[in-house]
């Protein structure tokens, strides 16, 4: 922890006073990578209020409640293909990119990064809209519109996926997760069946549950490399697998011909779009999703170093939420 000057809103800038910031799995990965420069400020799952802005900027007002997402140019190949989150020309982001993040009392962003929070959505829910948007992005990329789904991994994004799958009308929804408390929350979020993959035979159970057909959609949300060949084994013919969890080591496919014989659609998922965040905020305003049950630890900014060592790094926490400024 250290004290730094409050940043100023320069030309074309917006200064956001942080309310809440969630601790993301990618924050943990970056810290443990050893690649971060000294003084890097992480934190991108943020809600707050506009404290100051360049008065030449239109559409921004002081006191507005906002979340923050990356910029994009709208002109490059990726933007023109409808993938602004993969922008190759002007993608700027806080915390995990080239701008200081929101594990701080204030953060400076560009106006294009600001998304208004609708009435009826509190600051903790708003900070986790990005978590749900990441899950929604993976569901969308799978190309599936219904049927049986296996969610592998009941972390924050996996559980968000369960809730969204229920909202979107998928059936039946199965969750594979070794931690009992996360399985219980999965059932609360709408999972029809849950399984502990460490003590139960997921292959046999999957065959029983699907009548030997296999799962029509599998969302890999754990980041466990061994789950990829397992997902291919458990997928139905013509099924879809979306790798939402980020893998940091190689994957071995004992039978790659399975992809041929089953004609599996296999895709990866990265980040999310402004549109998906806006959609999740709308569902929050309508009371259709509530992210707050995901929060296992509600702490101050000053407590983060200790909680990181005692709860986050050992994998004991589900979602750590930092209560940094005035909540709403």
């Amino acid at each position: 922890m250290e004290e730094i000057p409050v940043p100023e809103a320069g030309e074309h800038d917006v200064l956001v006073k942080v309310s809440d910031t969630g601790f993301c799995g990618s924050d943990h990965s970056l810290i443990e990578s050893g690649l971060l420069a000294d003084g890097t400020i992480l934190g991108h799952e943020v809600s707050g209020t506009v404290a100051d802005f360049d008065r030449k900027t239109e559409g921004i007002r002081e006191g507005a409640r906002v979340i923050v997402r990356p910029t994009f140019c709208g002109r490059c190949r990726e933007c023109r293909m409808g993938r602004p989150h993969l922008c190759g020309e002007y993608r700027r982001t806080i915390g995990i990119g080239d701008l200081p993040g929101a594990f701080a009392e204030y953060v400076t962003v560009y106006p294009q990064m600001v998304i208004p929070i609708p009435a009826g959505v509190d600051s903790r829910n708003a900070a986790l809209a990005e978590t749900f948007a990441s899950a929604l992005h993976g569901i969308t990329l799978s190309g599936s519109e219904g049927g049986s789904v296996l969610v592998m991994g009941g972390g924050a994004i996996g559980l968000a996926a369960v809730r969204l799958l229920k909202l979107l009308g998928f059936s039946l929804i199965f969750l594979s997760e070794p931690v009992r408390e996360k399985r219980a929350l999965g059932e609360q979020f709408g999972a029809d069946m849950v399984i502990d993959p460490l003590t139960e035979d997921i292959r046999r159970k999957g065959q029983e549950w699907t009548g030997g057909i296999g799962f029509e959609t599998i969302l890999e949300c754990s980041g466990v490399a061994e789950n990829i060949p397992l997902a291919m084994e458990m997928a139905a013919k013509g099924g879809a697998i979306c790798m939402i969890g980020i893998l940091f080591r190689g994957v071995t496919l004992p039978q790659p011909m399975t992809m041929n014989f089953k004609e599996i659609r296999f895709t990866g998922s990265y980040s999310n779009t402004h549109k998906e965040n806006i959609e999740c905020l709308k569902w929050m305003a309508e009371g259709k999703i509530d992210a707050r049950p995901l929060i296992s630890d509600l702490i101050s900014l000053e407590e983060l170093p200790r909680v990181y060592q005692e709860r986050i790094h050992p994998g004991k926490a589900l979602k750590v939420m930092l209560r940094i400024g005035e909540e709403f």
Side-chain angles (χ1 to χ4, degrees):
M1 288 290 298
E2 64 181 61
E3 294 289 334
I4 61 173
V6 175
E8 296 181 0
E11 188 176 9
H12 307 305
D13 287 342
V14 177
L15 180 66
V16 175
K17 189 178 191 315
V18 176
S19 295
D20 293 294
T21 306
F23 192 99
C24 179
S26 60
D27 296 319
H28 176 263
S29 298
L30 285 167
I31 291 169
E32 294 304 313
S33 72
L35 300 176
L36 294 177
D38 186 41
T40 298
I41 303 175
L42 296 173
H44 58 277
E45 297 178 347
V46 56
S47 65
T49 55
V50 173
D52 195 9
F53 62 98
D54 179 357
R55 291 308 191 269
K56 294 191 294 290
T57 303
E58 297 180 359
I60 303 291
R61 63 175 179 82
E62 191 170 333
R65 309 183 316 156
V66 298
I67 64 170
V68 177
R69 299 303 301 135
T71 62
F72 54 91
C73 70
R75 302 181 301 273
C76 68
R77 171 185 174 272
E78 289 75 18
C79 285
R80 287 186 282 106
M81 292 178 67
R83 300 184 180 122
H85 59 293
L86 300 179
C87 177
E89 298 291 335
Y90 194 69
R91 191 179 193 276
R92 309 288 301 277
T93 188
I94 62 169
I96 55 175
D98 50 357
L99 299 174
F103 292 155
E105 294 173 300
Y106 290 88
V107 62
T108 302
V109 302
Y110 295 105
Q112 306 98 307
M113 303 171 76
V114 167
I115 297 176
I117 299 171
V121 180
D122 64 89
S123 56
R124 296 179 194 175
N125 253 316
L128 295 180
E130 193 266 346
T131 300
F132 277 78
S134 294
L136 179 60
H137 189 65
I139 295 169
T140 302
L141 285 175
S142 75
S144 302
E145 296 182 354
S148 62
V149 187
L150 171 63
V151 177
M152 306 179 85
I157 290 180
L159 290 169
V162 168
R163 182 70 198 102
L164 290 171
L165 289 163
K166 192 72 172 181
L167 178 62
L168 294 170
F170 284 76
S171 180
L172 298 164
I173 302 168
F174 304 85
L175 172 65
S176 172
E177 166 54 48
V179 177
R180 178 175 56 83
E181 292 79 7
K182 295 179 182 179
R183 293 197 301 274
L185 191 52
E187 291 180 315
Q188 179 183 329
F189 274 21
D192 298 294
M193 301 287 286
V194 297
I195 187 172
D196 178 354
L198 301 184
T199 62
E200 300 178 80
D201 188 339
I202 189 172
R203 291 176 174 86
R204 181 178 63 81
K205 288 284 189 180
Q207 286 290 302
E208 291 177 2
W209 290 337
T210 64
I213 295 173
F215 293 98
E216 294 171 70
T217 307
I218 299 179
L219 304 178
E220 204 305 297
C221 301
S222 70
V224 176
E226 290 77 11
N227 276 347
I228 300 302
L230 177 59
M232 291 185 179
E233 181 182 336
M234 299 183 67
K237 292 179 180 179
I241 300 170
C242 184
M243 186 174 71
I244 301 176
I246 304 295
L247 302 184
F248 288 90
R249 59 187 180 88
V251 175
T252 300
L253 301 178
Q255 297 292 341
M257 67 185 73
T258 299
M259 292 193 70
N260 301 94
F261 295 156
K262 289 188 175 182
E263 295 189 349
I264 294 169
R265 303 190 309 277
F266 178 66
T267 184
S269 176
Y270 175 68
S271 191
N272 47 72
T273 66
H274 281 54
K275 181 179 178 182
E276 288 160 343
N277 278 271
I278 292 168
E279 185 74 8
C280 289
L281 286 168
K282 180 176 76 72
W283 283 332
M284 287 176 172
E286 294 170 351
K288 294 179 179 178
I289 57 176
D290 184 358
R292 291 171 296 185
L294 295 174
I295 301 171
S296 58
D297 301 73
L298 183 63
I299 67 171
S300 66
L301 185 60
E302 291 76 12
E303 293 176 280
L304 181 55
R306 175 185 61 80
V307 173
Y308 182 85
Q309 296 295 336
E310 297 177 0
R311 296 276 295 161
I312 297 172
H313 186 54
K316 297 179 181 179
L318 173 54
K319 173 60 69 173
V320 172
M321 177 66 69
L322 282 76
R323 185 173 52 198
I324 296 176
E326 184 178 352
E327 295 184 304
F328 49 80

